């Protein structure tokens, strides 16, 4: 028997997939109606979280943040069976994952953080990625269970909390990518370009293929041999700003990028490759 706490879009689809595999699942959500909705698929819903975990050997969580995980686990613990394993798929802080691993071990339970790069469709289809780090014996024990939930398990070694940190880094990239696309759309509108033309450009010239090479150049490349000088990149950035202003459009992150470039140019790096702005973190 499994328990699943948190019936948002991700959690509810995880549960549906489990039921489709023939597993018995007890569910809980702070808004009880969301848990009851899963009963028509074969889950058993509870309004009290401590009842939802009774008899379960595995307790899965997809909640909001560190505070909600701590609160829900504390309330649920009254119903924990001896030796229960907690599998937390919530995106949390690195420190929170480390602390919970230690505290629940001291209470006699296993807490394993297993954050995901998965959307609701991935959860239902068993695709996407689950990230793991920590006690390798525990992870080895859990691999058969987790492998059914995802397309691939990503292992990051024995350091507790590293998976949480990697998840945050990945989400930071997604946030930057999306807001970068927002500015690109804004500039597209300001310049009178149709969105279809932007889509056509990106289909033919796919900048996504450059990510790994660009990151490598930022961290270990020789910025004294530029493919695009920082000063020239800054010149183009000014053109973005001016076009947006003339088109009556606000940009979200380009102004901050221009300011960062100005700082590095002031330090004498104008004729270096523009990726020099990331060298301080290499």
């Amino acid at each position: 028997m499994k328990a699943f706490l948190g019936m948002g879009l991700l959690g509810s689809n995880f549960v549906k997939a489990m039921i489709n595999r023939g597993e018995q699942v007890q569910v809980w959500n702070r808004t009880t109606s969301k848990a009851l909705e899963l009963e028509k698929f074969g889950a058993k819903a509870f309004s009290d979280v401590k009842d939802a975990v009774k008899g379960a050997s595995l307790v899965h969580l997809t909640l909001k943040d560190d505070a909600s995980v701590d609160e829900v686990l504390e309330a649920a613990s009254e119903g924990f069976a001896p030796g229960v394993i907690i599998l937390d798929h919530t995106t949390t802080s690195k420190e929170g994952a480390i602390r919970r691993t230690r505290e629940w071990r001291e209470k006699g339970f296993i807490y394993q953080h297993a954050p995901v790069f998965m959307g609701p469709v991935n959860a239902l289809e068993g695709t996407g990625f689950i990230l793991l780090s920590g006690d390798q014996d525990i992870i080895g024990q859990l691999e058969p269970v987790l492998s059914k939930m995802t397309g691939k398990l990503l292992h990051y070694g024995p350091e507790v909390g590293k998976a949480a940190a990697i998840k945050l880094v990945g989400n930071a990239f997604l946030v930057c990518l999306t807001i970068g696309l927002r500015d690109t759309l804004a500039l597209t509108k300001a310049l009178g370009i149709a969105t279809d033309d932007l889509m056509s450009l990106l289909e033919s010239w796919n900048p996504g293929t450059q990510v790994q090479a660009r990151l490598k150049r930022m961290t270990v490349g020789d910025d004294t041999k530029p493919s695009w000088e920082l000063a020239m990149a800054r010149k183009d950035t000014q053109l973005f700003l001016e076009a947006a202003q003339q088109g009556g459009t606000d940009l979200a992150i380009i102004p901050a990028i221009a300011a960062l470039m100005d700082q590095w140019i002031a330090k004498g790096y104008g004729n270096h490759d523009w990726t020099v702005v990331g060298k301080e973190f290499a």
Side-chain angles (χ1 to χ4, degrees), residues 90-92 115-118 131 164-178:
T90 309
T91 299
T92 69
V116 304
F117 284 119
M118 301 171 73
L131 287 62
I166 294 289
K167 169 62 174 172
L168 291 178
V169 169
N171 276 11
F173 179 84
L174 293 177
V175 168
C176 292
L177 173 64
T178 301

Side-chain angles (χ1 to χ4, degrees), residues 213-225:
R214 184 63 51 80
L215 182 60
K216 184 176 181 180
R217 177 146 199 176
M218 291 178 74
T219 54
V220 299
D222 184 358
D223 58 80
T224 65
K225 298 177 181 178

Side-chain angles (χ1 to χ4, degrees), residues 171-193:
N171 276 11
F173 179 84
L174 293 177
V175 168
C176 292
L177 173 64
T178 301
I179 304 305
L181 287 172
R182 181 266 183 201
D183 272 14
T184 302
L185 285 168
L187 188 59
T188 299
K189 180 179 179 181
L191 289 167
I193 303 299

Side-chain angles (χ1 to χ4, degrees), residues 195-210:
T195 304
D196 286 348
D197 288 329
L198 172 62
M199 294 292 293
S200 177
L201 170 65
L202 296 181
E203 287 173 2
S204 299
W205 167 68
N206 181 6
T209 61
Q210 302 176 27

Side-chain angles (χ1 to χ4, degrees), residues 1 10 16 19 24 29 57 75 80 87 125 130 155 167 229 263 266 279:
M1 174 70 71
L10 198 63
K16 291 173 187 176
I19 292 169
Q24 293 181 306
N29 193 75
S57 58
F80 282 170
L87 277 168
E125 296 178 348
I130 292 179
H155 294 272
K167 169 62 174 172
E229 291 183 348
Q263 292 174 19
K279 273 297 197 307

Side-chain angles (χ1 to χ4, degrees), residues 20-35:
N20 288 341
R21 293 194 296 268
E23 300 173 10
Q24 293 181 306
V25 190
Q26 299 178 167
V27 299
W28 171 90
N29 193 75
R30 195 181 302 274
T31 302
T32 305
S33 60
K34 290 186 177 181

